[in-house]
Amino acid sequence: MENHGQKINYALGIWAFNSPDPSEALKVAVDLMFHLKYGREPSMYSDLRTDPDRVQTPREIVRATASRDCIRLAENCLLHAHSHVGEKMPAKFTTAQDRLFTMKHAKVKEMLNMEDFWWYYISCMEAGQHDIAEAVLGYERDHITTGTQFRAA
């Protein structure tokens, strides 16, 4: 939720996969994701520049056509989001999945890069618990917060 780029990519992905021709729509979406990644911030905010000292305005960075295209894209994504919410049955999420969703991305990424976590998750799977959200929360509770390793070196 804290990463605007990921939200934009998710919205474009949902739009593409729900289009009549998902393959073609995905090509458009990937192109837009790349362009928005580099144009979104400078197109939305003024900035102070040096050499020479001056204020940079969005108009200097983004062409009027591109601005209009971004507005149309946002309107299109919003329209698809409304229909998606109105027509689709929401997936059922567990409390653990909700908690995982609200964790800081950097914290989850750090944990998933730890070999010890994966040994913990393998033991969870062997015990019949396959939900990675449950494993992440269990590892955080039992090992990250206590400062102990699941497997001794």
Side-chain angles (χ1 to χ4, degrees), residues 6 15-16 24 42 53-54 63 70-71 81 87 89 92 95 112 121 129 137 141 153:
Q6 287 177 345
W15 167 78
E24 281 305 308
D53 294 335
R54 66 184 185 82
R63 297 169 318 195
C70 282
I71 291 168
E87 297 169 6
M89 190 63 168
K92 301 258 187 237
T95 302
L112 295 179
Y121 183 50
Q129 178 196 342
L137 296 176
R141 180 191 63 237

Side-chain angles (χ1 to χ4, degrees), residues 12-13 15-17 19 21-35:
L12 289 171
W15 167 78
F17 288 119
S19 295
D21 185 352
S23 177
E24 281 305 308
L26 195 56
K27 291 176 188 174
V28 171
V30 168
D31 185 55
L32 287 168
M33 287 174 196
F34 175 77
H35 284 90

Side-chain angles (χ1 to χ4, degrees), residues 4 8 13 16 37-39 44 53 62 64 77-78 81 88 92 98 104 106 114 119 123 127 134-135 143 153:
H4 293 287
I8 290 168
K37 178 179 180 180
Y38 295 105
M44 294 176 65
D53 294 335
V62 179
C77 282
L78 184 60
K88 304 284 182 178
K92 301 258 187 237
D98 286 341
K104 296 277 186 193
M114 298 171 71
W119 288 116
S123 76
E134 290 282 351
H143 300 287

Side-chain angles (χ1 to χ4, degrees), residues 19-130:
S19 295
D21 185 352
S23 177
E24 281 305 308
L26 195 56
K27 291 176 188 174
V28 171
V30 168
D31 185 55
L32 287 168
M33 287 174 196
F34 175 77
H35 284 90
L36 287 172
K37 178 179 180 180
Y38 295 105
R40 181 183 149 308
E41 290 293 326
S43 70
M44 294 176 65
Y45 305 103
S46 296
D47 198 6
L48 297 175
R49 308 304 281 175
T50 57
D51 198 22
D53 294 335
R54 66 184 185 82
V55 174
Q56 174 183 288
T57 61
R59 184 175 295 151
E60 297 173 53
I61 305 294
V62 179
R63 297 169 318 195
T65 304
S67 295
R68 286 190 294 276
D69 288 346
C70 282
I71 291 168
R72 278 199 309 276
L73 174 63
E75 290 171 340
N76 196 296
C77 282
L78 184 60
L79 177 69
H80 279 81
H82 279 290
S83 67
H84 178 76
V85 169
E87 297 169 6
K88 304 284 182 178
M89 190 63 168
K92 301 258 187 237
F93 291 100
T94 66
T95 302
Q97 290 167 330
D98 286 341
R99 288 193 51 219
L100 177 63
F101 182 71
T102 59
M103 286 179 80
K104 296 277 186 193
H105 177 73
K107 187 176 187 178
V108 175
K109 185 178 177 182
E110 179 183 354
M111 191 181 309
L112 295 179
N113 284 324
M114 298 171 71
E115 180 182 359
D116 193 59
F117 166 77
W118 291 104
W119 288 116
Y120 175 83
Y121 183 50
I122 289 168
S123 76
C124 290
M125 290 173 63
E126 289 171 348
Q129 178 196 342
H130 296 273

